[in-house]
Amino acid sequence: NNWALQPENDWRRQAWLWSNRLENAWKLATLCNFLVFLYEGKYRSVVERLLKMRLVFSRPSTARQISFEYMNRQLVWSEFTDLLLLIAPLVNFAKVRSHVVRLLRLKPPRGNSCGICGSSSVTMPYVSDCGHLYCYFCIASAKLADDKLTCFVCGSPVNSYQRL
């Protein structure tokens, strides 16, 4: 079945050799055509070059109105999402969230409300080192998210918290 292993004078061996030569010549012609296409921009393939076929406009004097706005928008969003995918693993979102919550809090919570969620009915009240009141779920989840947690009210480090 393997024509390459046939004797030198067998017609199948000769056909295989010519087939290989033609394949290599086609690859070389394709490479040369590609390089010439990059330089001239006329024929995209070897077949088009051999048949002298070119893509031309039926009315060359017609002005073409092409809006690249959509394509530009797609490119910007694509690059933006790639940037986010690159930066997202490097950002500690829990810490950013705690800073934003602290910055957006306009008035300090009253003495009987949670320092994180602001709820006046504190469920399972816990007190931090600095004496501020928190819900158990709020303080426990904040501490799990950030080992170096700072108080949401006064900004002092929270090393421990106890049930009230």
Side-chain angles (χ1 to χ4, degrees):
N1 286 345
N2 195 347
W3 289 16
L5 300 177
Q6 298 298 325
E8 285 284 331
N9 57 358
D10 190 22
W11 69 271
R12 292 176 291 192
R13 167 78 181 215
Q14 295 298 319
W16 177 80
L17 286 172
W18 277 104
S19 171
N20 279 344
R21 289 180 189 140
L22 284 173
E23 183 180 359
N24 290 335
W26 183 258
K27 287 179 182 178
L28 179 66
T30 303
L31 175 66
C32 292
N33 182 67
F34 176 68
L35 295 174
V36 172
F37 172 74
L38 289 178
Y39 183 73
E40 293 179 353
K42 287 185 180 178
Y43 301 105
R44 297 178 300 173
S45 68
V46 176
V47 174
E48 287 179 3
R49 185 170 297 279
L50 291 175
L51 298 176
K52 305 273 187 210
M53 293 175 20
R54 286 185 34 195
L55 293 174
V56 294
F57 296 105
S58 59
R59 288 178 262 148
S61 62
T62 305
R64 292 179 287 163
Q65 297 294 329
I66 299 175
S67 174
F68 293 105
E69 182 179 342
Y70 176 74
M71 189 182 329
N72 288 341
R73 188 179 309 134
Q74 287 298 109
L75 286 171
V76 167
W77 278 110
S78 174
E79 293 304 316
F80 181 67
T81 54
D82 288 348
L83 178 69
L84 285 179
L85 288 173
L86 176 74
I87 292 176
L90 305 175
V91 176
N92 183 353
F93 286 107
K95 195 171 227 177
V96 170
R97 181 180 174 269
S98 69
H99 287 297
V100 169
V101 166
R102 195 174 314 126
L103 288 174
L104 292 179
R105 189 171 307 263
L106 300 175
K107 55 184 177 184
R110 297 182 307 249
N112 60 352
S113 63
C114 175
I116 296 177
C117 69
S119 172
S120 58
S121 60
V122 179
T123 21
M124 292 177 37
Y126 272 71
V127 177
S128 64
D129 296 348
C130 57
H132 290 105
L133 188 66
Y134 295 99
C135 300
Y136 171 73
F137 178 76
C138 294
I139 191 72
S141 60
K143 188 67 175 169
L144 280 174
D146 186 9
D147 285 337
K148 298 176 183 174
L149 180 68
T150 57
C151 178
F152 285 86
V153 179
C154 65
S156 64
V158 176
N159 296 321
S160 65
Y161 47 92
Q162 297 175 357
R163 185 163 182 146
L164 186 64

